[in-house]
Structure formats: structure tokens, C-alpha cells
């Protein structure tokens, strides 16, 4: 979008988003677009600024928003055209899973398995850091200890 706007400052950003989503997510584009709109509406309605280093405790990452996001990504997964698109959708879903995982009580008997599964997905996606400057094993350790919390 930035490159297109540099070429044409009057470029229609909304159309550009839709074009990218359709090209990258195929049939799964619509629910992902709904997810983006969900976040945009939350930010606008409550005058919240979203930043690159926002923690899982950010005001726009409410339980309600995360539940709606999960429903949208469930739908996107069912609509994925093929395995490659499904992989892209699941990778895009990882931040939602992370926020939700930080809300799981430390004493939940399934929590450790959930954390292990999440980090397996992260590694499979080729992600090397969840937080800049912190190795995955350190993020996992902190999450296991319950030192990263939300809601």
C-alpha cells in the first residue's frame, strides 16, 4: 500500500487492501477483511492508538474482540482454497492465539500443552521472535510462568 501511495497519493487504500487480501488469501479473504474491520472499528470507536509494540494487554484486544476474531478465522480456515492458503490463514491467526493464550489461567491443566502446540505452530511458520529482541524459548518460558497476561 505504501508503495502504491508513493506512486499515487490518491490511491484507494480500501481497494488496495481488498486486492491484496483476495490475491493472498483467495476465498478466505472476506473473513480476514472482516477481522481487519473489526479491529479498525474498535480503535475508532474508543479512540485507541495501535502500535507495533502493543502487548497482549492492549485496550483493543478484549475478550469480546478475540472471540469474534476466532469465529472469523474459523470461517477463513474452512474457506481456504488449498493447503498453501490454509497455511497463510493459520499464520495470520497466530497473534490472536497468542493473546488468547496469555489469558489462560496458570492452573489450567491443558495450558502447558496449549503453549507447546502454539510454539510448534510458530516455529512451523518460520517465526523466530514473538517480541523483538526476545528469543522464542524465552517468550515460551515467560508464558509458562504466567508472566505474560491479558484480559
Amino acid at each position: 500500500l505504501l508503495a502504491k501511495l508513493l506512486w499515487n497519493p490518491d490511491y484507494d487504500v480500501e481497494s488496495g487492501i481488498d486486492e491484496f487480501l483476495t490475491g493472498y488469501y483467495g476465498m478466505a479473504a472476506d473473513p480476514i477483511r472482516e477481522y481487519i474491520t473489526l479491529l479498525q472499528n474498535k480503535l475508532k470507536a474508543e479512540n485507541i492508538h495501535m502500535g507495533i509494540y502493543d502487548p497482549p494487554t492492549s485496550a483493543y484486544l478484549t475478550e469480546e474482540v478475540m472471540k469474534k476474531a476466532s469465529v472469523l478465522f474459523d470461517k477463513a480456515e474452512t474457506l481456504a482454497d488449498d493447503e498453501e492458503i490454509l497455511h497463510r490463514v493459520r499464520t495470520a491467526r497466530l497473534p490472536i492465539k497468542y493473546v488468547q493464550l496469555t489469558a489462560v489461567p496458570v492452573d489450567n491443566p491443558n495450558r502447558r500443552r496449549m503453549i507447546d502446540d502454539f510454539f510448534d505452530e510458530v516455529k512451523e511458520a518460520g517465526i523466530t521472535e514473538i517480541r523483538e529482541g526476545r528469543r522464542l524459548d524465552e517468550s515460551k518460558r515467560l508464558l509458562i510462568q504466567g508472566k505474560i497476561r491479558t484480559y
Side-chain angles (χ1 to χ4, degrees):
L1 287 174
L2 291 176
K4 290 201 178 228
L5 286 167
L6 287 171
W7 281 101
N8 176 8
D10 298 320
Y11 180 73
D12 183 354
V13 173
E14 297 303 315
S15 293
I17 292 170
D18 292 338
E19 181 182 321
F20 170 79
L21 292 175
T22 300
Y24 195 73
Y25 294 108
M27 297 297 294
D30 286 345
I32 293 176
R33 179 59 155 138
E34 288 181 56
Y35 165 68
I36 292 169
T37 301
L38 171 71
L39 290 179
Q40 288 175 329
N41 289 344
K42 177 74 171 174
L43 296 168
K44 288 176 189 174
E46 298 182 21
N47 196 28
I48 300 170
H49 176 76
M50 178 191 274
I52 190 170
Y53 298 108
D54 289 351
T57 54
S58 296
Y60 62 92
L61 300 173
T62 64
E63 186 174 4
E64 177 186 358
V65 168
M66 293 296 98
K67 282 181 181 178
K68 288 178 183 176
S70 285
V71 169
L72 291 169
F73 272 86
D74 286 345
K75 185 175 180 183
E77 286 187 21
T78 65
L79 294 172
D81 306 66
D82 55 36
E83 287 300 315
E84 177 61 28
I85 300 292
L86 181 59
H87 176 74
R88 291 174 185 173
V89 170
R90 288 181 174 160
T91 300
R93 186 181 199 155
L94 287 173
I96 296 160
K97 286 185 172 186
Y98 178 70
V99 171
Q100 291 173 322
L101 193 53
T102 64
V104 175
V106 177
D107 61 353
N108 182 309
N110 296 318
R111 188 170 180 277
R112 179 58 191 259
R113 180 190 50 76
M114 294 164 67
I115 291 171
D116 289 341
D117 291 348
F118 172 77
F119 279 91
D120 287 347
E121 286 184 71
V122 167
K123 289 175 187 173
E124 183 182 320
I127 297 168
T128 58
E129 296 179 347
I130 292 176
R131 178 175 183 244
E132 189 174 354
R134 182 189 294 156
R135 294 184 334 264
L136 278 181
D137 60 336
E138 178 66 7
S139 290
K140 184 176 181 178
R141 184 185 66 76
L142 291 170
L143 194 56
I144 289 168
Q145 292 175 348
K147 294 186 178 179
I148 302 172
R149 304 285 303 146
T150 191
Y151 304 155

